[in-house]
Amino acid sequence: MNGLKKFYMNDKIVVPVFAVITSLFIAAIVMIMIGKNPLMAYGALIFGAFGTKGALINNLMKTTPLILTGLSVGLGFRAGLFNIGANGQLIIGALLSTYVGSKMIAYPFYLSIPLMLVTGMIGGALWAAIAGWLKVARGAHEVITTIMLNYIAVFIANYVVNGPFQAPGGVPKSPEIAYSARLPILATSGATWLSAGIFVALAAVVVVYILVEKTKLGYEVKAVGFNPYAAEYGGISIGKNVVMAMAISGALAGLAGTMQVMGVYYRYLGALGGSMGFDGITIALIGQNDPIGIAFAAFLISSIRAGSNQMQIAGVSKNIVIIIQGIIIFLVAANRLVKTFMFWKRKEVEGA
Amino acid sequence: MGKTDKKDYSEYAVVMEKIVKRFPGVLANDHVDLFVKKGEIHAIVGENGAGKTTLMNQLYGLLNSDSGKIYINGEEVKIKNPNDAIKAKIGMVHQHFMLVDRLSVVENIVLGMEPVYGPFFARDKARKQISELSQKFGLFVEPDAIIEDLPVGIQQRVEIIKVLYRGAEILILDEPTAVLTPQETDELFKILGALKAQGKTIIFITHKLHEVMAITDSVTVMQLGKVTGVVKTSDTNPRALARMMVGREVLLRVEKGEAKIGKKILRVENLHVNENRGLEAVKGLDFSVNQGEIVGIAGVAGNGQTELIEAITGLRKVEEGQVIFKGIDATNFSPKRRRDMGMGHIPEDRLKHGLVAAFPLYYNFILGKHDDPRFCDGEFLKISDIKKFSNALVKRFDVRPPLINLLGANLSGGNQQKVIVAREFSFNPDFMAISQPTRGLDIGAIEFIHKSIISMRDQGVGVLLVSMELEEIFSLSDRILVMYEGQIMGEVTPQETTTEEVGLMMAGHKLEDLRAQEA
Ligand SMILES: Nc1ncnc2c1ncn2[C@@H]1O[C@H](COP(=O)(O)OP(=O)(O)OP(=O)(O)O)[C@@H](O)[C@H]1O
Ligand SMILES: [Mg+2]
């Protein structure tokens, strides 16, 4: 029994931890080769990520949407779906919730905040459900359809904030949301602040964990993801669960966009999603599709990004961070390699 | 180490010495010794989970031993991976096929050793080599068929050709006959005989003791990870082997009373069903199953039985005709609806349909009934109740090891089957479609499952049983339908027919013609 637990730990925790340590090590070698001092660089990285109150606030602020897009992609993976459309879902979610939020001037916060959250999630869910439906009804692969939907979402958003839903002044951005719809601010430092969005993201971690591990829906979604034939045999509808899984995945991405609106920009801006949708893929991989793992992975990615600026200032190119990230992904994706390696190690230890 | 310590194993093709292999919670091989003489057919027998497959996986390099040594033709070798094994001219046909579903027969066989023209795959060369091989050993396969479209029996042949293609001198066959019909088994035995005559050494795992008696030269018996006996085949008999395997006397034939036939529960009318490639596989079947009886469907694999069962259980579209269940036209009902109406199903392919291999056992035990109020409360699974239920089943059906957190994939083949059977029985269905229920099970487990099927029947369940084992059909069925090319050749009862007659029907002779000839 104990052995079994260890076995599980191996897969889910040891692989990513091993990957992170190895990548830092390899990146250090690269830095030595280009004549930089890795200890100094990592010192700067850590300082840049956690060294000051401002750094930590900035870091956690950036972690918030990454947790959500990571959960979005990770949940898709659990259902055997490759949702590359988190970006599009995030945009649609943010756009819709902004619209609702901008109409909330006369409402108290206990109505406007939940309403915005819900519309953001519905927007993302519907957008993703289109891809789910296309897969079920037409057999169109979700990788293709979600990428196409990403483009469509970008163009819709560009049109809307340049026309019908443009703030006065001719700049491509939407009007602001109501004050009552802004998330409470937990801490500020200079021009950055941390909103209660981080709690929304952490709550989403718990909800997704419960959904995946404790509910009927989670059971069905995983069965479809692991073995659709057996799922069908067991009376589980593949179509329904594919659409559901896509919708929930999209809702999480939509929530990520909504957090950017409610906690950071207070309006819709074209740049608000950045590459978060794609970062979600990285994060889900590193977090082994496990909600708690994803939360850590999001914090990790956010930290090395946040720290990279400080590293740049210290004279080491911030692109080193891309190397680190690349190696982590490689090692996690090639987890067989890591496991085999660790297996040999263990055997040597036992043999000794 | 003095020179005198060096053992002379030169008369043996394979020696495995003091092999130990431990899995979390299980000692799968506990200092196992195996001696296989050159050119012999050596059987390994033992209960489900005894460690046979594990032992062979180490010989083939799929698993690495914790300790122990392997000698091939007297020389110690280190086999770390299948490539090392192939270099040592060892080939293995696995209990669960290792074919790429989407590739063709030719592509699967040559995979990794493709003949080429420069950088290009020489498909015509590959096809020619393979047709030579299949002709030489009488293993016919359609070279361009896609694996997933082929019945299991044919996939098996592909596996065997694949091993021969790689030039194996030592062949490991892990329960090769579990998926074959008696006729196909006879063919296989001829092939094995021919291979042996050419000096190849064969290690043969089976649960069927008459097969051991028929073709092997010696036998190693395993129980719970240990070797409990090594005998020459000519010095033993099935009863003695059974006792060595299970440690008690086993009934090799089931006993059953008169059937108490009840109401009609399932009726199939003019049923037409297609196979994967769109060709008609079931061609207008009519029959019914009553409560309290076992209707057996005999036939050579690939004559529409798979498609028939899938159509009845809702996994395959019906092209024409009707499936009437409990008096209701259920032709277009989802599998779920049929289950909820009281239809159980033990599928033919346990890893494809029967189990989610990546799920722990306790999840697999509720597959198909996960939304039953016993297992979920609204949207939430009652994990602790599910675990309790699973623990009870594991105990009642003697699943080994009895660890419900283990993944389905980590059970031995026979124990996976026990999980499926346990689950379907536990749902108390009124009708049960059963395909190959004892494929790959050891004799003790077969006895248990046969008894369970009969007790279901005695409780009034209607059973439709598909089996390639004529013996199983004869000993369980109250009525026998024989299928050939999607049609029923005749209906008989086991009392009034003979295996010869059923065998002829399986080959395409209609019962009325046979009876007319007799008269
Ligand atoms: N990968 C694995 N992880 C954990 N346990 C395993 C694994 N593979 C096998 N086992 C366990 O090792 C034991 C031996 O299994 P093995 O598959 O060798 O049995 P077997 O003799 O081939 O049985 P069968 O006749 O049912 O095929 C079983 O208890 C099984 O559950
Ligand atoms: Mg086995």
Side-chain angles (χ1 to χ4, degrees), chain A residues 199-231:
Chain A
F199 290 130
V200 175
L202 291 177
V205 170
V206 176
V207 170
V208 171
Y209 175 82
I210 291 173
L211 183 84
V212 170
E213 301 298 335
K214 311 275 179 205
T215 69
K216 201 166 79 183
L217 181 65
Y219 179 90
E220 295 194 351
V221 160
K222 283 188 289 185
V224 170
F226 283 136
N227 183 350
Y229 294 106

PDB file of all heavy atoms in Angstrom, chain A residues 199-231:
ATOM      1  N   PHE A 199      -7.780  34.620  -5.478  1.00  0.00           N
ATOM      2  CA  PHE A 199      -8.655  33.704  -4.725  1.00  0.00           C
ATOM      3  C   PHE A 199      -9.643  33.000  -5.645  1.00  0.00           C
ATOM      4  O   PHE A 199      -9.990  31.840  -5.452  1.00  0.00           O
ATOM      5  CB  PHE A 199      -9.412  34.447  -3.620  1.00  0.00           C
ATOM      6  CG  PHE A 199      -8.513  34.895  -2.504  1.00  0.00           C
ATOM      7  CD1 PHE A 199      -8.548  36.209  -2.043  1.00  0.00           C
ATOM      8  CD2 PHE A 199      -7.618  33.998  -1.917  1.00  0.00           C
ATOM      9  CE1 PHE A 199      -7.715  36.621  -1.025  1.00  0.00           C
ATOM     10  CE2 PHE A 199      -6.790  34.417  -0.895  1.00  0.00           C
ATOM     11  CZ  PHE A 199      -6.822  35.725  -0.446  1.00  0.00           C
ATOM     12  N   VAL A 200     -10.091  33.743  -6.660  1.00  0.00           N
ATOM     13  CA  VAL A 200     -10.986  33.118  -7.636  1.00  0.00           C
ATOM     14  C   VAL A 200     -10.244  31.963  -8.315  1.00  0.00           C
ATOM     15  O   VAL A 200     -10.771  30.858  -8.471  1.00  0.00           O
ATOM     16  CB  VAL A 200     -11.469  34.143  -8.685  1.00  0.00           C
ATOM     17  CG1 VAL A 200     -12.297  33.455  -9.770  1.00  0.00           C
ATOM     18  CG2 VAL A 200     -12.268  35.248  -8.017  1.00  0.00           C
ATOM     19  N   ALA A 201      -8.990  32.217  -8.683  1.00  0.00           N
ATOM     20  CA  ALA A 201      -8.206  31.178  -9.356  1.00  0.00           C
ATOM     21  C   ALA A 201      -8.005  29.978  -8.430  1.00  0.00           C
ATOM     22  O   ALA A 201      -8.143  28.821  -8.846  1.00  0.00           O
ATOM     23  CB  ALA A 201      -6.871  31.740  -9.815  1.00  0.00           C
ATOM     24  N   LEU A 202      -7.685  30.261  -7.156  1.00  0.00           N
ATOM     25  CA  LEU A 202      -7.460  29.149  -6.223  1.00  0.00           C
ATOM     26  C   LEU A 202      -8.755  28.385  -5.973  1.00  0.00           C
ATOM     27  O   LEU A 202      -8.757  27.156  -5.867  1.00  0.00           O
ATOM     28  CB  LEU A 202      -6.863  29.670  -4.904  1.00  0.00           C
ATOM     29  CG  LEU A 202      -5.425  30.195  -5.046  1.00  0.00           C
ATOM     30  CD1 LEU A 202      -4.919  30.750  -3.722  1.00  0.00           C
ATOM     31  CD2 LEU A 202      -4.482  29.103  -5.550  1.00  0.00           C
ATOM     32  N   ALA A 203      -9.872  29.128  -5.932  1.00  0.00           N
ATOM     33  CA  ALA A 203     -11.154  28.447  -5.767  1.00  0.00           C
ATOM     34  C   ALA A 203     -11.404  27.543  -6.972  1.00  0.00           C
ATOM     35  O   ALA A 203     -11.901  26.416  -6.834  1.00  0.00           O
ATOM     36  CB  ALA A 203     -12.278  29.467  -5.627  1.00  0.00           C
ATOM     37  N   ALA A 204     -11.028  28.025  -8.156  1.00  0.00           N
ATOM     38  CA  ALA A 204     -11.211  27.214  -9.358  1.00  0.00           C
ATOM     39  C   ALA A 204     -10.386  25.926  -9.268  1.00  0.00           C
ATOM     40  O   ALA A 204     -10.826  24.862  -9.716  1.00  0.00           O
ATOM     41  CB  ALA A 204     -10.815  28.003 -10.607  1.00  0.00           C
ATOM     42  N   VAL A 205      -9.195  26.022  -8.665  1.00  0.00           N
ATOM     43  CA  VAL A 205      -8.368  24.821  -8.488  1.00  0.00           C
ATOM     44  C   VAL A 205      -9.140  23.783  -7.682  1.00  0.00           C
ATOM     45  O   VAL A 205      -9.225  22.608  -8.057  1.00  0.00           O
ATOM     46  CB  VAL A 205      -7.037  25.160  -7.776  1.00  0.00           C
ATOM     47  CG1 VAL A 205      -6.292  23.896  -7.375  1.00  0.00           C
ATOM     48  CG2 VAL A 205      -6.179  26.039  -8.671  1.00  0.00           C
ATOM     49  N   VAL A 206      -9.737  24.253  -6.584  1.00  0.00           N
ATOM     50  CA  VAL A 206     -10.479  23.331  -5.719  1.00  0.00           C
ATOM     51  C   VAL A 206     -11.687  22.760  -6.454  1.00  0.00           C
ATOM     52  O   VAL A 206     -11.939  21.549  -6.427  1.00  0.00           O
ATOM     53  CB  VAL A 206     -10.918  24.059  -4.420  1.00  0.00           C
ATOM     54  CG1 VAL A 206     -11.775  23.137  -3.563  1.00  0.00           C
ATOM     55  CG2 VAL A 206      -9.700  24.544  -3.660  1.00  0.00           C
ATOM     56  N   VAL A 207     -12.406  23.631  -7.137  1.00  0.00           N
ATOM     57  CA  VAL A 207     -13.606  23.179  -7.842  1.00  0.00           C
ATOM     58  C   VAL A 207     -13.233  22.155  -8.915  1.00  0.00           C
ATOM     59  O   VAL A 207     -13.867  21.098  -9.038  1.00  0.00           O
ATOM     60  CB  VAL A 207     -14.358  24.376  -8.470  1.00  0.00           C
ATOM     61  CG1 VAL A 207     -15.457  23.878  -9.404  1.00  0.00           C
ATOM     62  CG2 VAL A 207     -14.936  25.257  -7.373  1.00  0.00           C
ATOM     63  N   VAL A 208     -12.196  22.442  -9.673  1.00  0.00           N
ATOM     64  CA  VAL A 208     -11.805  21.500 -10.727  1.00  0.00           C
ATOM     65  C   VAL A 208     -11.333  20.187 -10.102  1.00  0.00           C
ATOM     66  O   VAL A 208     -11.664  19.103 -10.586  1.00  0.00           O
ATOM     67  CB  VAL A 208     -10.711  22.102 -11.636  1.00  0.00           C
ATOM     68  CG1 VAL A 208     -10.141  21.052 -12.581  1.00  0.00           C
ATOM     69  CG2 VAL A 208     -11.283  23.260 -12.435  1.00  0.00           C
ATOM     70  N   TYR A 209     -10.605  20.289  -9.008  1.00  0.00           N
ATOM     71  CA  TYR A 209     -10.162  19.068  -8.334  1.00  0.00           C
ATOM     72  C   TYR A 209     -11.369  18.212  -7.941  1.00  0.00           C
ATOM     73  O   TYR A 209     -11.425  17.016  -8.212  1.00  0.00           O
ATOM     74  CB  TYR A 209      -9.322  19.406  -7.091  1.00  0.00           C
ATOM     75  CG  TYR A 209      -8.942  18.185  -6.310  1.00  0.00           C
ATOM     76  CD1 TYR A 209      -7.858  17.402  -6.693  1.00  0.00           C
ATOM     77  CD2 TYR A 209      -9.699  17.767  -5.213  1.00  0.00           C
ATOM     78  CE1 TYR A 209      -7.534  16.255  -6.011  1.00  0.00           C
ATOM     79  CE2 TYR A 209      -9.389  16.623  -4.515  1.00  0.00           C
ATOM     80  CZ  TYR A 209      -8.291  15.875  -4.916  1.00  0.00           C
ATOM     81  OH  TYR A 209      -7.971  14.720  -4.238  1.00  0.00           O
ATOM     82  N   ILE A 210     -12.345  18.848  -7.327  1.00  0.00           N
ATOM     83  CA  ILE A 210     -13.535  18.104  -6.908  1.00  0.00           C
ATOM     84  C   ILE A 210     -14.272  17.552  -8.119  1.00  0.00           C
ATOM     85  O   ILE A 210     -14.667  16.393  -8.164  1.00  0.00           O
ATOM     86  CB  ILE A 210     -14.468  19.018  -6.071  1.00  0.00           C
ATOM     87  CG1 ILE A 210     -13.796  19.328  -4.738  1.00  0.00           C
ATOM     88  CG2 ILE A 210     -15.820  18.353  -5.842  1.00  0.00           C
ATOM     89  CD1 ILE A 210     -14.525  20.348  -3.901  1.00  0.00           C
ATOM     90  N   LEU A 211     -14.392  18.397  -9.125  1.00  0.00           N
ATOM     91  CA  LEU A 211     -15.087  17.975 -10.341  1.00  0.00           C
ATOM     92  C   LEU A 211     -14.436  16.733 -10.940  1.00  0.00           C
ATOM     93  O   LEU A 211     -15.098  15.765 -11.295  1.00  0.00           O
ATOM     94  CB  LEU A 211     -15.044  19.125 -11.352  1.00  0.00           C
ATOM     95  CG  LEU A 211     -15.798  18.863 -12.636  1.00  0.00           C
ATOM     96  CD1 LEU A 211     -17.259  19.198 -12.428  1.00  0.00           C
ATOM     97  CD2 LEU A 211     -15.241  19.672 -13.782  1.00  0.00           C
ATOM     98  N   VAL A 212     -13.130  16.761 -11.043  1.00  0.00           N
ATOM     99  CA  VAL A 212     -12.429  15.666 -11.713  1.00  0.00           C
ATOM    100  C   VAL A 212     -12.395  14.417 -10.845  1.00  0.00           C
ATOM    101  O   VAL A 212     -12.584  13.307 -11.333  1.00  0.00           O
ATOM    102  CB  VAL A 212     -10.988  16.103 -12.085  1.00  0.00           C
ATOM    103  CG1 VAL A 212     -10.169  14.922 -12.559  1.00  0.00           C
ATOM    104  CG2 VAL A 212     -11.033  17.169 -13.166  1.00  0.00           C
ATOM    105  N   GLU A 213     -12.179  14.596  -9.557  1.00  0.00           N
ATOM    106  CA  GLU A 213     -11.946  13.434  -8.709  1.00  0.00           C
ATOM    107  C   GLU A 213     -13.192  12.902  -8.004  1.00  0.00           C
ATOM    108  O   GLU A 213     -13.230  11.752  -7.608  1.00  0.00           O
ATOM    109  CB  GLU A 213     -10.885  13.753  -7.642  1.00  0.00           C
ATOM    110  CG  GLU A 213      -9.536  14.181  -8.199  1.00  0.00           C
ATOM    111  CD  GLU A 213      -8.881  13.096  -9.047  1.00  0.00           C
ATOM    112  OE1 GLU A 213      -9.186  11.906  -8.842  1.00  0.00           O
ATOM    113  OE2 GLU A 213      -8.080  13.449  -9.932  1.00  0.00           O
ATOM    114  N   LYS A 214     -14.177  13.764  -7.805  1.00  0.00           N
ATOM    115  CA  LYS A 214     -15.261  13.342  -6.920  1.00  0.00           C
ATOM    116  C   LYS A 214     -16.633  13.290  -7.572  1.00  0.00           C
ATOM    117  O   LYS A 214     -17.595  12.921  -6.908  1.00  0.00           O
ATOM    118  CB  LYS A 214     -15.362  14.300  -5.710  1.00  0.00           C
ATOM    119  CG  LYS A 214     -14.066  14.576  -4.998  1.00  0.00           C
ATOM    120  CD  LYS A 214     -13.774  13.511  -3.961  1.00  0.00           C
ATOM    121  CE  LYS A 214     -12.459  13.806  -3.271  1.00  0.00           C
ATOM    122  NZ  LYS A 214     -11.833  12.613  -2.731  1.00  0.00           N
ATOM    123  N   THR A 215     -16.747  13.744  -8.794  1.00  0.00           N
ATOM    124  CA  THR A 215     -18.102  13.800  -9.356  1.00  0.00           C
ATOM    125  C   THR A 215     -18.299  12.787 -10.471  1.00  0.00           C
ATOM    126  O   THR A 215     -17.349  12.275 -11.054  1.00  0.00           O
ATOM    127  CB  THR A 215     -18.439  15.195  -9.921  1.00  0.00           C
ATOM    128  OG1 THR A 215     -17.650  15.405 -11.086  1.00  0.00           O
ATOM    129  CG2 THR A 215     -18.181  16.293  -8.907  1.00  0.00           C
ATOM    130  N   LYS A 216     -19.564  12.563 -10.726  1.00  0.00           N
ATOM    131  CA  LYS A 216     -19.999  11.702 -11.808  1.00  0.00           C
ATOM    132  C   LYS A 216     -19.472  12.234 -13.137  1.00  0.00           C
ATOM    133  O   LYS A 216     -18.954  11.494 -13.964  1.00  0.00           O
ATOM    134  CB  LYS A 216     -21.534  11.746 -11.812  1.00  0.00           C
ATOM    135  CG  LYS A 216     -22.195  10.625 -12.472  1.00  0.00           C
ATOM    136  CD  LYS A 216     -23.667  10.621 -12.105  1.00  0.00           C
ATOM    137  CE  LYS A 216     -24.441  11.632 -12.905  1.00  0.00           C
ATOM    138  NZ  LYS A 216     -25.851  11.693 -12.532  1.00  0.00           N
ATOM    139  N   LEU A 217     -19.606  13.545 -13.300  1.00  0.00           N
ATOM    140  CA  LEU A 217     -19.159  14.149 -14.553  1.00  0.00           C
ATOM    141  C   LEU A 217     -17.661  13.905 -14.761  1.00  0.00           C
ATOM    142  O   LEU A 217     -17.221  13.553 -15.858  1.00  0.00           O
ATOM    143  CB  LEU A 217     -19.464  15.655 -14.537  1.00  0.00           C
ATOM    144  CG  LEU A 217     -19.060  16.405 -15.802  1.00  0.00           C
ATOM    145  CD1 LEU A 217     -19.881  15.922 -16.976  1.00  0.00           C
ATOM    146  CD2 LEU A 217     -19.249  17.913 -15.615  1.00  0.00           C
ATOM    147  N   GLY A 218     -16.889  14.107 -13.685  1.00  0.00           N
ATOM    148  CA  GLY A 218     -15.447  13.882 -13.787  1.00  0.00           C
ATOM    149  C   GLY A 218     -15.148  12.442 -14.182  1.00  0.00           C
ATOM    150  O   GLY A 218     -14.287  12.179 -15.021  1.00  0.00           O
ATOM    151  N   TYR A 219     -15.876  11.532 -13.597  1.00  0.00           N
ATOM    152  CA  TYR A 219     -15.712  10.112 -13.907  1.00  0.00           C
ATOM    153  C   TYR A 219     -15.958   9.863 -15.389  1.00  0.00           C
ATOM    154  O   TYR A 219     -15.179   9.218 -16.081  1.00  0.00           O
ATOM    155  CB  TYR A 219     -16.691   9.306 -13.061  1.00  0.00           C
ATOM    156  CG  TYR A 219     -16.668   7.812 -13.290  1.00  0.00           C
ATOM    157  CD1 TYR A 219     -15.816   7.007 -12.543  1.00  0.00           C
ATOM    158  CD2 TYR A 219     -17.493   7.227 -14.233  1.00  0.00           C
ATOM    159  CE1 TYR A 219     -15.791   5.635 -12.740  1.00  0.00           C
ATOM    160  CE2 TYR A 219     -17.478   5.859 -14.439  1.00  0.00           C
ATOM    161  CZ  TYR A 219     -16.629   5.061 -13.687  1.00  0.00           C
ATOM    162  OH  TYR A 219     -16.608   3.712 -13.890  1.00  0.00           O
ATOM    163  N   GLU A 220     -17.058  10.436 -15.885  1.00  0.00           N
ATOM    164  CA  GLU A 220     -17.418  10.207 -17.288  1.00  0.00           C
ATOM    165  C   GLU A 220     -16.403  10.835 -18.231  1.00  0.00           C
ATOM    166  O   GLU A 220     -15.990  10.219 -19.213  1.00  0.00           O
ATOM    167  CB  GLU A 220     -18.819  10.795 -17.570  1.00  0.00           C
ATOM    168  CG  GLU A 220     -19.914  10.086 -16.797  1.00  0.00           C
ATOM    169  CD  GLU A 220     -21.313  10.410 -17.293  1.00  0.00           C
ATOM    170  OE1 GLU A 220     -21.449  11.321 -18.134  1.00  0.00           O
ATOM    171  OE2 GLU A 220     -22.260   9.746 -16.845  1.00  0.00           O
ATOM    172  N   VAL A 221     -16.011  12.047 -17.887  1.00  0.00           N
ATOM    173  CA  VAL A 221     -15.075  12.757 -18.754  1.00  0.00           C
ATOM    174  C   VAL A 221     -13.748  11.995 -18.833  1.00  0.00           C
ATOM    175  O   VAL A 221     -13.173  11.813 -19.902  1.00  0.00           O
ATOM    176  CB  VAL A 221     -14.876  14.198 -18.221  1.00  0.00           C
ATOM    177  CG1 VAL A 221     -13.595  14.804 -18.741  1.00  0.00           C
ATOM    178  CG2 VAL A 221     -16.070  15.067 -18.594  1.00  0.00           C
ATOM    179  N   LYS A 222     -13.284  11.510 -17.690  1.00  0.00           N
ATOM    180  CA  LYS A 222     -12.019  10.768 -17.692  1.00  0.00           C
ATOM    181  C   LYS A 222     -12.156   9.457 -18.452  1.00  0.00           C
ATOM    182  O   LYS A 222     -11.256   9.054 -19.184  1.00  0.00           O
ATOM    183  CB  LYS A 222     -11.562  10.487 -16.259  1.00  0.00           C
ATOM    184  CG  LYS A 222     -10.955  11.701 -15.578  1.00  0.00           C
ATOM    185  CD  LYS A 222     -10.340  11.326 -14.236  1.00  0.00           C
ATOM    186  CE  LYS A 222     -11.418  11.001 -13.225  1.00  0.00           C
ATOM    187  NZ  LYS A 222     -10.902  10.749 -11.883  1.00  0.00           N
ATOM    188  N   ALA A 223     -13.294   8.791 -18.274  1.00  0.00           N
ATOM    189  CA  ALA A 223     -13.493   7.520 -18.987  1.00  0.00           C
ATOM    190  C   ALA A 223     -13.442   7.757 -20.486  1.00  0.00           C
ATOM    191  O   ALA A 223     -12.776   7.025 -21.225  1.00  0.00           O
ATOM    192  CB  ALA A 223     -14.822   6.887 -18.587  1.00  0.00           C
ATOM    193  N   VAL A 224     -14.106   8.821 -20.938  1.00  0.00           N
ATOM    194  CA  VAL A 224     -14.087   9.137 -22.371  1.00  0.00           C
ATOM    195  C   VAL A 224     -12.661   9.454 -22.816  1.00  0.00           C
ATOM    196  O   VAL A 224     -12.223   9.046 -23.889  1.00  0.00           O
ATOM    197  CB  VAL A 224     -15.044  10.317 -22.681  1.00  0.00           C
ATOM    198  CG1 VAL A 224     -14.846  10.807 -24.106  1.00  0.00           C
ATOM    199  CG2 VAL A 224     -16.483   9.891 -22.466  1.00  0.00           C
ATOM    200  N   GLY A 225     -11.943  10.169 -21.973  1.00  0.00           N
ATOM    201  CA  GLY A 225     -10.574  10.538 -22.325  1.00  0.00           C
ATOM    202  C   GLY A 225      -9.640   9.348 -22.397  1.00  0.00           C
ATOM    203  O   GLY A 225      -8.823   9.233 -23.301  1.00  0.00           O
ATOM    204  N   PHE A 226      -9.774   8.432 -21.453  1.00  0.00           N
ATOM    205  CA  PHE A 226      -8.861   7.282 -21.409  1.00  0.00           C
ATOM    206  C   PHE A 226      -9.235   6.223 -22.437  1.00  0.00           C
ATOM    207  O   PHE A 226      -8.368   5.618 -23.059  1.00  0.00           O
ATOM    208  CB  PHE A 226      -8.885   6.624 -20.027  1.00  0.00           C
ATOM    209  CG  PHE A 226      -8.121   7.365 -18.977  1.00  0.00           C
ATOM    210  CD1 PHE A 226      -8.660   7.543 -17.708  1.00  0.00           C
ATOM    211  CD2 PHE A 226      -6.853   7.859 -19.236  1.00  0.00           C
ATOM    212  CE1 PHE A 226      -7.949   8.211 -16.717  1.00  0.00           C
ATOM    213  CE2 PHE A 226      -6.138   8.520 -18.255  1.00  0.00           C
ATOM    214  CZ  PHE A 226      -6.696   8.701 -16.998  1.00  0.00           C
ATOM    215  N   ASN A 227     -10.504   5.922 -22.544  1.00  0.00           N
ATOM    216  CA  ASN A 227     -10.913   4.824 -23.412  1.00  0.00           C
ATOM    217  C   ASN A 227     -12.360   5.015 -23.866  1.00  0.00           C
ATOM    218  O   ASN A 227     -13.282   4.558 -23.213  1.00  0.00           O
ATOM    219  CB  ASN A 227     -10.756   3.490 -22.667  1.00  0.00           C
ATOM    220  CG  ASN A 227     -11.100   2.298 -23.547  1.00  0.00           C
ATOM    221  OD1 ASN A 227     -11.632   2.445 -24.642  1.00  0.00           O
ATOM    222  ND2 ASN A 227     -10.799   1.110 -23.066  1.00  0.00           N
ATOM    223  N   PRO A 228     -12.530   5.704 -24.984  1.00  0.00           N
ATOM    224  CA  PRO A 228     -13.886   5.998 -25.435  1.00  0.00           C
ATOM    225  C   PRO A 228     -14.717   4.742 -25.702  1.00  0.00           C
ATOM    226  O   PRO A 228     -15.931   4.743 -25.509  1.00  0.00           O
ATOM    227  CB  PRO A 228     -13.684   6.801 -26.726  1.00  0.00           C
ATOM    228  CG  PRO A 228     -12.254   6.675 -27.080  1.00  0.00           C
ATOM    229  CD  PRO A 228     -11.508   6.308 -25.844  1.00  0.00           C
ATOM    230  N   TYR A 229     -14.061   3.664 -26.108  1.00  0.00           N
ATOM    231  CA  TYR A 229     -14.814   2.435 -26.380  1.00  0.00           C
ATOM    232  C   TYR A 229     -15.430   1.903 -25.096  1.00  0.00           C
ATOM    233  O   TYR A 229     -16.599   1.539 -25.049  1.00  0.00           O
ATOM    234  CB  TYR A 229     -13.908   1.360 -26.967  1.00  0.00           C
ATOM    235  CG  TYR A 229     -13.366   1.691 -28.324  1.00  0.00           C
ATOM    236  CD1 TYR A 229     -12.051   2.070 -28.492  1.00  0.00           C
ATOM    237  CD2 TYR A 229     -14.189   1.616 -29.441  1.00  0.00           C
ATOM    238  CE1 TYR A 229     -11.547   2.368 -29.736  1.00  0.00           C
ATOM    239  CE2 TYR A 229     -13.693   1.913 -30.700  1.00  0.00           C
ATOM    240  CZ  TYR A 229     -12.376   2.288 -30.845  1.00  0.00           C
ATOM    241  OH  TYR A 229     -11.879   2.587 -32.076  1.00  0.00           O
ATOM    242  N   ALA A 230     -14.608   1.849 -24.060  1.00  0.00           N
ATOM    243  CA  ALA A 230     -15.109   1.338 -22.788  1.00  0.00           C
ATOM    244  C   ALA A 230     -16.160   2.289 -22.220  1.00  0.00           C
ATOM    245  O   ALA A 230     -17.134   1.858 -21.605  1.00  0.00           O
ATOM    246  CB  ALA A 230     -13.966   1.151 -21.797  1.00  0.00           C
ATOM    247  N   ALA A 231     -15.966   3.576 -22.440  1.00  0.00           N
ATOM    248  CA  ALA A 231     -16.944   4.540 -21.951  1.00  0.00           C
ATOM    249  C   ALA A 231     -18.292   4.277 -22.608  1.00  0.00           C
ATOM    250  O   ALA A 231     -19.327   4.196 -21.937  1.00  0.00           O
ATOM    251  CB  ALA A 231     -16.474   5.963 -22.250  1.00  0.00           C
TER     252      ALA A 231
END
